[in-house]
Amino acid sequence: AVSLFIPRLRFENDMTYWVDRRSPIGRMPHYINDRFGNNTPLLVVVDFGDVFQRRNLESLDEFARELEQLPDIDSQTSLATVDEVVPTDEGILVQKLISYPLPADPGYLDELRSKVLAQKSYVGRLVSRDGSAAMVIVKPVNTKESDQAAREVRAIAKRVFPPEARLYFSGSPFILFSMAEIVLADFVILIPLVSVLVIGILFLSFRTLRGVVLPLVTVLFSSALTMGLMAVFRVPLNILSSAVPVILIAVGSAYGIHVLSSYYENATILSDPRDIVARAIREVGLPVLMAGLTTIAGFVSNVTAQVSVIKTFGLFTA
């Protein structure tokens, strides 16, 4: 029944939340995020070939307008949103660098190119020196779901910008989002793969259906139970705990192999199944129990770690 909660598992890939906020190494990152907001921006670089073409500038504006609709986005900076300071006879005037909708005069784009590429505050920051690529700096709100913001920003960028433009994504949220995709993909592949490998080894060892099913069912049950308990206690998956099922299947199957090996050895000299089981348990029961307890002790020792992902990994694997 506990395994029914597995679909409720969520993935936590923000390294800030991998560390207990009360620990010496976690106190400062949490303090900074709580007081000053998220300090890990999303960086989107769009290589148009020529930023200052009408279609490309309009796509930057469309991208900015769609980002404004996202609740996970705190602020953004790009050529389409940045202000410029213009001196006037009365003082200074703060206005948008680019006027939208773009004027129909074709000379406007040439003037804009010359103005932008002549200012150090834009070149090398929001536009490349040759005017071929533009950068958009997106600041997500301070939540654990910064990878969700990365997912949304990337989807919008791929939809809005011209197909011939080359997109580059950087910043911690994008890295964490990509990491989550890789880990979850491995999660789906590795569990069936390790199960198939274990099945093959068990079949080569015992060449009976019982010799394959009994050890495998035991470790699959323990894996499902562990993942279900994590979901019940609202412990999220992370880059480390996603390996728990694979480790349980690989390590846990050894105990079943020892028991079955002893059973089949005794079956060659005894005929009563009850006597065979009793003798097998007497021979390997205590060694298997002690081996299991020492493995548990090894994993439990991780609860002393200050990094919370190591702590939960050790506890639930044990």
Side-chain angles (χ1 to χ4, degrees):
V2 174
S3 62
L4 297 177
F5 291 89
I6 291 178
R8 297 186 182 182
L9 277 173
R10 63 181 183 85
F11 191 87
E12 174 58 74
N13 58 0
D14 191 336
M15 288 180 285
T16 302
Y17 297 94
W18 290 0
V19 183
D20 191 340
R21 65 170 56 240
R22 295 166 296 183
S23 67
I25 61 175
R27 189 178 297 116
M28 184 55 67
H30 284 282
Y31 172 80
I32 292 174
N33 278 357
D34 293 341
R35 291 294 297 271
F36 303 104
N38 197 309
N39 60 350
T40 54
L42 305 163
L43 306 177
V44 182
V45 175
V46 190
D47 187 353
F48 293 108
D50 183 4
V51 174
F52 299 97
Q53 291 185 7
R54 182 176 298 274
R55 178 190 182 191
N56 298 335
L57 291 174
E58 289 176 344
S59 67
L60 280 174
D61 179 54
E62 183 181 356
F63 185 58
R65 286 187 281 106
E66 293 216 21
L67 290 183
E68 289 177 354
Q69 307 303 317
L70 297 180
D72 297 327
I73 301 303
D74 183 28
S75 63
Q76 57 173 305
T77 305
S78 69
L79 289 177
T81 63
V82 72
D83 295 327
E84 67 169 339
V85 179
V86 181
T88 65
D89 295 336
E90 292 78 18
I92 59 173
L93 174 64
V94 179
Q95 62 183 17
K96 292 294 183 183
L97 173 64
I98 302 178
S99 301
Y100 288 101
L102 295 173
D105 181 10
Y108 171 79
L109 299 181
D110 294 331
E111 293 176 3
L112 179 65
R113 177 198 301 271
S114 301
K115 180 172 66 174
V116 171
L117 297 182
Q119 298 191 38
K120 294 182 179 180
S121 57
Y122 303 138
V123 175
R125 292 173 173 82
L126 298 180
V127 64
S128 61
R129 298 184 185 280
D130 61 358
S132 63
M135 176 180 284
V136 182
I137 304 172
V138 184
K139 183 180 178 183
V141 296
N142 183 31
T143 66
K144 291 186 178 182
E145 287 75 27
S146 60
D147 61 311
Q148 174 64 26
R151 180 185 294 107
E152 295 171 340
V153 169
R154 191 174 73 170
I156 293 174
K158 290 184 175 181
R159 184 178 72 252
V160 167
F161 292 117
E164 64 272 14
R166 288 183 293 178
L167 299 175
Y168 304 91
F169 304 95
S170 186
S172 296
F174 278 124
I175 295 173
L176 295 174
F177 170 58
S178 299
M179 188 186 303
E181 287 187 320
I182 294 170
V183 169
L184 291 177
D186 289 344
F187 190 75
V188 173
I189 295 173
L190 289 177
I191 293 179
L193 178 61
V194 71
S195 299
V196 169
L197 291 175
V198 170
I199 288 173
I201 293 172
L202 291 173
F203 181 76
L204 291 175
S205 300
F206 300 115
R207 300 187 180 276
T208 64
L209 180 63
R210 178 168 49 191
V212 173
V213 171
L214 291 179
L216 188 64
V217 167
T218 303
V219 292
L220 290 178
F221 174 80
S222 66
S223 299
L225 177 62
T226 303
M227 293 294 100
L229 288 173
M230 291 180 67
V232 169
F233 291 105
R234 302 180 183 274
V235 177
L237 281 175
N238 52 60
I239 192 171
L240 191 57
S241 62
S242 59
V244 168
V246 176
I247 292 175
L248 290 178
I249 294 172
V251 175
S253 59
Y255 306 109
I257 291 175
H258 289 310
V259 173
L260 279 176
S261 178
S262 178
Y263 174 86
Y264 284 121
E265 287 179 2
N266 287 300
T268 60
I269 57 177
L270 299 173
S271 58
D272 188 346
R274 294 185 179 182
D275 293 338
I276 297 173
V277 171
R279 183 165 179 173
I281 294 300
R282 285 197 303 270
E283 290 179 350
V284 299
L286 183 59
V288 165
L289 176 62
M290 296 305 298
L293 290 176
T294 55
T295 306
I296 290 172
F299 283 119
V300 166
S301 65
N302 288 299
V303 300
T304 60
Q306 295 186 27
V307 180
S308 60
V309 294
I310 297 178
K311 186 182 299 184
T312 56
F313 166 79
L315 181 62
F316 283 96
T317 306

